[in-house]
Amino acid sequence: MGLGYIGLPTAIIAAKHGVEIVGVDINPKVVEMTNSGHLHIIEPGMEEMLKEVIGKGKFKAYTSPQMSDAYFIVVPTPFKNGHKPDISYVESATRMVLPLLKEGDLYVIESTSPVGTTEQMAELIYSSRPELKGKMYIAYCPERVLPGNVIYELVHNDRVIGGIDEASTQKAKEFYAQFVQGTLHSTNSKTAEMCKLTENSCRDSQIAFANELSIICDKAGINVWELIELANKHPRVNILQPGCGVGGHCIAVDPYFISAEFPDEARMIAMAREVNNGKAEWCATKVENAILRFGKEKGRKPVVALMGLAFKPNIDDLRESPSMQIARTIIKQCADTEILVVEPNIKEHQEFTLTEYREAYNCADIAVFLTAHSPFRELEWSDEKVILDFCGIFKR
Ligand code: SAJ
C-alpha cells in the first residue's frame, strides 16, 4: 500500500527475489507509469529492475488492493499544524485492506509512525473484524535506506521488527528474510516505532551540533572544518559536517514525532530542529549582507552564483532542501541583483533558470556554496571573489 520512495523500491526488490507483488497506489498516474515500466521516483538503477519484474509477471500495480496474504503499509506520515504527526494515510490504507483480511494474514506498517500507531491500527482492524482477533499477524518494521543507495541498503541493512505479539514478530521476520541479508532484530511494536524516530533524531542532533559549532567558529574566526577534523582525531569524538541546514523527508521531519508527543521531555531533540532550521536562515542573512557590502564597497551590484539546490550532495532530490529555501529567500530579498542558480544534477527547473556550474562560478562576484556536489570540488579558489562556502567545498 503506497508506491512512493520506499514502497515502490521495496515492492521491486521483493518481486526480484521471487515474491509475487501487488503494488497499490491511489494515484492512477503512478500506477500507469509503474505498469509501463517507468519509475516516477528518483533512484539509480531501479528502473531497469522495475522493467525486469514487470516483464517476469512478478509485479503489477493497481489503484485498489487485491486479495493477498500479506499487506504492507508504506504511505506518507507528514505533520499537520504545530508539527503534530498525521497518520490519516496509514489509517485510510488500513481501512482499504480491512474487507480483504483473512485468518493467517500478515499486516505490517513500514511508514515512520508515532509510538503506539501499530497497536492503534490493530484495534481498528479488530474492532471491525472481531472474528480475526488473535488470528492475524500484525507488526511494525521501519525502513532505513539512504536515498540514492536504496538497491544495496534494502537488501543489506539490518532491520528492526516489532510485532504486537511474538508470533507476529516471527511471521514478519519470515517475510523479510526472503530478501533481506542484514540481521533481522526482534522487538515489540512500540520499541520498533521509537527506534526509527530515534535514529533520525540522533542524526539531526549530531548535525545540529556541527551547525552550531560552525556559527560559533564564524564569530570566533576559526576554520570549522579544520577544527572538526582535529577534534575527530580523539578516539571517542565523531562530529558530523556542518551545512546550510537539514533537508529531505526524514531527518527534518521525524524528530517532531517525538517532540510533539513528549513536549516537556524532548528538549534537546526540539532544540536540534531549531538549530538546524536556524542555520538556513543564518546562511541566507550572510548572503544578503555580503551582497549589501559588495554594493557599498564597489559601487555596483554583484553577480551572485548559488551553487547547488539538492538537499544533499550528488543527488537530484530537492525535497525539503534548505538550499532551495535559501535560494528563494535571496531571490526575493535581492530582486535587483543578478542571481545565477546552479544545480548540476538536473537539466531544468520550473522555478529557476539554471546555469552551468563552471560558467556561473566564473561569472560570479559572490559564489555561495549550498550543496557539496562533487564537481564543485574541481573549481579553484579565487581571491577575486567573495566565497561563502557553507558546505565545505574548499574547507577554508
Ligand atoms: N547533513 C549534514 N551534515 C552531515 C550529514 C548530513 O548537514 O554530516 C544533511 C544533509 O545535507 C541533508 C540532511 O542532513 O540535508 C539529511 O541527509 P542524510 O544523508 O543524513 O539522511 P537522509 O535524509 O538522506 O536519510 C536518512 C537516513 N537516516 C540516518 O542516517 C539516521 C536514512 O538511513 C533513513 O532511512 C532516512 O533518513 C529515512 O528514510 O528515514
Side-chain angles (χ1 to χ4, degrees), residues 140-166:
Y140 182 75
C141 178
E143 56 73 27
R144 296 168 143 173
V145 291
L146 202 67
N149 199 25
V150 168
I151 294 183
Y152 179 86
E153 292 205 0
L154 254 178
V155 173
H156 293 92
N157 287 357
D158 283 13
R159 294 194 70 151
V160 173
I161 300 182
I164 55 160
D165 50 36
E166 280 204 32

Side-chain angles (χ1 to χ4, degrees), residues 204 206-215 224-225 228 239-247 275-284 286 310-313 321-323 326 368-372 377 388-393 395:
D204 195 47
Q206 289 175 333
I207 299 169
F209 184 78
N211 278 333
E212 187 165 292
L213 268 184
S214 71
I215 296 176
V224 69
W225 315 102
I228 290 175
I239 305 170
L240 293 181
Q241 298 295 296
C244 67
V246 167
V275 169
N276 286 332
N277 288 339
K279 182 69 192 285
E281 288 161 26
W282 183 87
C283 293
K286 279 257 157 197
F311 85 85
K312 64 178 190 175
S321 172
S323 311
I326 294 166
V368 183
F369 288 91
L370 297 170
T371 307
R377 297 194 189 276
L388 297 176
D389 181 6
F390 296 126
C391 55
I393 297 296
K395 301 206 183 258

Side-chain angles (χ1 to χ4, degrees), residues 6-52:
I6 301 299
L8 184 56
T10 306
I12 295 170
I13 300 273
K16 182 148 169 85
H17 284 76
V19 187
E20 206 172 309
I21 302 283
V22 169
V24 183
D25 202 288
I26 51 170
N27 183 343
K29 277 194 197 135
V30 166
V31 169
E32 200 187 303
M33 254 182 106
T34 305
N35 284 335
S36 64
H38 297 293
L39 210 62
H40 76 96
I41 57 165
I42 309 151
E43 188 56 45
M46 199 53 89
E47 192 163 277
E48 296 73 26
M49 224 182 247
L50 169 65
K51 288 193 164 77
E52 186 190 324

